[in-house]
Every structure is written in C-alpha cells, then in structure tokens.
Amino acid sequence: MASSLYSNAQHVDFDSVLGMDDPGMVSMFEALMASGLRGFLGCPAVVYEDALVDFFENASVRNGVVFSTVGGQIVKISEKLFAESFELPVDGLGDLSEMLKDAIFDARSIVSLSGEQINLSGRKNQMKMPYRLLCDIVAKAISVKAGSFNAITVEKFSLMTVVVCGVKMNWAKFLFGILKKMVAAKSKHAKGFAIQISLLLATFPTVELGEASAFPASKILSKKTVLRFVSINDRDGAEEIKEAAKKKAVSKKRTAADIEAAVPKKKRTSKKKSISSISSLEMVAVAEEAVPIQQVAEQLDIEEPRCSSADAVDLIIQQVLDETRLLIPEDIYSLLIRVLIDIFDRVCKRTVF
C-alpha cells in the first residue's frame, strides 16, 4: 500500500496556521516561509498512490539524476526540475556540516523551555511548544528519518537552526539529496515526499498516474491539528512530570534491605574476658598507681648518686675477701684466692656479653 510511504509524513496548510491566535506558533511558521520552504511544505496535497508504488519500485540514481519507470513510461527528475517545481532556494549551505557552531549555540537557547541551553542528545520536551512541532516537521517532512520523533539529534537540530536563526540554505540541493538517498540501491533510508513526488510525476504528460487520493487531513498541519498537537504534548508532558515525581518518591523510600544494611548488627559477646581486655584493665590500674612525673623528677633531684651494678659486685667481693682473710691462715687464703680466680675465669669464658 502506498499509504505506508507517508504514514509518518506531515504537510503544512500555511493559510490556516498563520491565522492562529498563538503568536509563538505563527512566528515559527513565518520562519519556515522565510527559509524558502513554503512551496515544498505547502504545495497542493494530492497523492497518486499507484504511481508512487511504481516510482519507488523502479527508481535508481544515474549521474546525479533520478530515473524511474511509471506505468511503462520513463521519468527523469533532475535537481533543477526539483528546485523549480517547489521554488526552492539554490544558494546557501548545501550540507549541514557547514553549519556555524555559533548559530547552533544561539538556537539551543532560543528554543529552550527553561532558558538554559538544551541538550542535543535529549528529548524535544526541553523545547518550547512551537519548536517541538518544528522538530517534528524537520524529522517527518524534511529529513524523513524513521525512529523516535521525541529524541533530538544533531541533524534535526541543525535543520531547526536554519529556520530559527535564518541561516541561508540551498534547500534544492539538500532536499534533492534526500530524494536520491531514498531511491539509491541498497539504501535503508525511509521513503517519503509522497506529495512532492506525485506533483513531479504529474508534470510528465505521457505518464498514467491513476486515481488521485486526498492526503489524510490528520497529517496536514492546520489550526485544528496544531491545537491537537499542543494538547497531546501538554498531556504527555504532564504525565512525564508525574512519572518523574513518582520515581523520585520511590527512590526516597528505604527498602528493608537498605534499613538492614544501615543498622549495624549487635555482636554476640561471651562473658569471659579476653586477654586484651585484662591487659587493658591492668594498664589502667598501673596508670592510676603511677607516680606523677613531677614527683619522680623531685625524687631524682634529692637522691644521692648510686654506684653501678659492676662496682657493687666488686665491693661485695672485696668485703668477703677481707673478712675471709681474718679467719684463715695466709697460705690457705692464697690458695683460696687462686681457686676463686680460676673459677671466675671459667665463668667469664662461658658468658656471652
């Protein structure tokens, strides 16, 4: 079914949306017109479904020109024909990689709902409502990319910057480049431009187009559909805020596991005192009985100097010898001295100092 070729498409009824009472929305659509996209986004919304199916089944790109066979007739679409059919600008940037960083920097603040620069890897709910709609338009009607339309990408935001900051864009080259990607061999690019291709095919008098179909009104941006878009996005935004609040509240609740981990468990202790405990008590007792440092210092000051342990031993030996000499004869005393000296020498040799 050809309807699958425009299931996510969007078209613009400029006469309707420019009459809205929403200054923000009107300003955004006026910027689209000033960018040079009115002829492309606002052309008559007619679709030739049978011709579209033929066109995409048989299309290819040769030497920068799109060729196809529709109803047995060869059609050839060049960039020049494409530009003239929709009155597209042919001057300015031909590639988004040429976009000035300063322009993107400014646009990030202009479209922001909070006033702070938006995150280019975030979601479109960061933006004011008119720019959320512009994000949808560049995704569905211009770049024609499948995937999440709520996510902001660098490509989508660069296209938005062209409109928001009034950057000159060679829309003829850019949009025709997308058409070539749609029909290129082994291309995975989503199919689109259903209305525009239908109008281009109508310029070939020998091509049988089949019965025309009106483009679904729900996919044309008018006062009614824009208000519906705002209502849906307001509701979704409220639900997102509510969901975020719930998650925050849940995160504040402490689970049983968290409480158990936070409260330290009481360790079971035995009645028997450990060695370390006894040692601690003994140290405390010793500390309590200890003599103050000042008192110790005073005692050291008044005490007389004492002899060393070696001197004391010598004095004792000498005293014993003197007393022994008085009790025994001289010859026996001399023998005893020699024996004692011999014993002393042996003891000294065995002792390690």
Side-chain angles (χ1 to χ4, degrees):
M1 292 291 291
S3 58
S4 63
L5 301 175
Y6 52 82
S7 59
N8 292 320
Q10 274 188 344
H11 205 59
V12 183
D13 182 348
F14 282 97
D15 290 336
S16 178
V17 295
L18 291 176
M20 294 180 66
D21 294 329
D22 186 330
M25 284 293 181
V26 172
S27 178
M28 186 273 289
F29 283 114
E30 285 177 343
L32 272 175
M33 290 176 58
S35 180
L37 289 171
R38 176 161 189 168
F40 183 80
L41 295 175
C43 58
V46 178
V47 175
Y48 297 99
E49 294 194 4
D50 293 339
L52 274 175
V53 173
D54 268 4
F55 173 81
F56 278 110
E57 284 183 351
N58 303 310
S60 62
V61 180
R62 283 176 276 171
N63 299 321
V65 178
V66 176
F67 286 85
S68 187
T69 303
V70 179
Q73 298 295 318
I74 295 176
V75 295
K76 182 175 70 172
I77 302 174
S78 65
E79 183 177 324
K80 182 181 179 182
L81 174 63
F82 191 84
E84 291 175 349
S85 298
F86 306 109
E87 300 178 344
L88 292 169
V90 294
D91 297 321
L93 302 182
D95 193 293
L96 293 177
S97 62
E98 302 171 9
M99 179 68 64
L100 295 175
K101 293 182 179 179
D102 289 346
I104 292 178
F105 183 87
D106 293 340
R108 288 174 64 186
S109 299
I110 293 171
V111 306
S112 174
L113 182 62
S114 66
E116 298 180 359
Q117 289 201 330
I118 67 168
N119 181 2
L120 294 185
S121 59
R123 293 168 64 83
K124 69 181 184 183
N125 60 5
Q126 302 175 68
M127 299 186 285
K128 298 171 186 174
M129 193 62 70
Y131 301 113
R132 296 186 202 181
L133 181 55
L134 177 60
C135 187
D136 268 16
I137 294 171
V138 299
K140 298 176 180 180
I142 299 177
S143 63
V144 191
K145 286 291 185 71
S148 174
F149 297 111
N150 289 323
I152 300 172
T153 65
V154 174
E155 180 183 15
K156 280 193 284 188
F157 195 77
S158 296
L159 288 170
M160 290 178 62
T161 301
V162 172
V163 176
V164 172
C165 296
V167 178
K168 279 192 174 183
M169 186 78 179
N170 186 341
W171 284 117
K173 180 179 179 180
F174 180 80
L175 293 170
F176 188 70
I178 292 177
L179 176 62
K180 289 190 291 184
K181 290 178 183 178
M182 291 179 188
V183 301
K186 299 181 181 179
S187 173
K188 295 182 179 180
H189 199 290
K191 304 298 186 290
F193 295 177
I195 293 174
Q196 291 82 2
I197 294 172
S198 293
L199 291 178
L200 286 170
L201 295 178
T203 62
F204 296 92
T206 60
V207 175
E208 288 291 334
L209 298 175
E211 187 177 352
S213 303
F215 196 70
S218 60
K219 299 184 181 301
I220 299 177
L221 294 174
S222 60
K223 286 183 182 180
K224 182 178 180 180
T225 52
V226 170
L227 289 174
R228 183 171 178 270
F229 174 88
V230 172
S231 176
I232 291 173
N233 277 265
D234 278 340
R235 183 192 65 199
D236 292 345
E239 289 178 356
E240 285 184 5
I241 293 172
K242 188 177 179 181
E243 187 66 24
K246 282 183 180 179
K247 289 181 179 178
K248 190 173 181 181
V250 169
S251 65
K252 286 184 177 180
K253 292 181 180 179
R254 303 179 68 186
T255 63
D258 294 334
I259 296 172
E260 185 178 354
V263 178
K265 295 181 180 179
K266 292 183 178 180
K267 295 182 179 180
R268 297 180 64 185
T269 57
S270 62
K271 295 181 179 179
K272 199 171 185 181
K273 291 184 178 179
S274 63
I275 295 174
S276 60
S277 300
I278 296 171
S279 299
S280 300
L281 291 173
E282 289 177 350
M283 289 175 67
V284 172
V286 170
E288 290 177 349
E289 295 174 2
V291 180
I293 294 175
Q294 186 177 358
Q295 187 177 344
V296 172
E298 292 174 355
Q299 289 178 357
L300 291 175
D301 290 339
I302 62 175
E303 285 182 355
E304 295 180 359
R306 297 180 180 180
C307 60
S308 66
S309 58
D311 293 339
V313 171
D314 290 343
L315 289 173
I316 293 171
I317 293 173
Q318 187 62 44
Q319 186 178 357
V320 170
L321 291 175
D322 291 342
E323 293 178 355
T324 304
R325 187 173 187 176
L326 297 173
L327 296 175
I328 60 177
E330 185 68 24
D331 55 345
I332 297 174
Y333 174 76
S334 299
L335 178 62
L336 178 61
I337 290 300
R338 287 196 296 271
V339 171
L340 289 174
I341 291 172
D342 184 58
I343 294 171
F344 183 75
D345 289 340
R346 291 179 182 179
V347 170
C348 289
K349 289 178 181 179
R350 294 178 182 178
T351 305
V352 179
F353 293 95

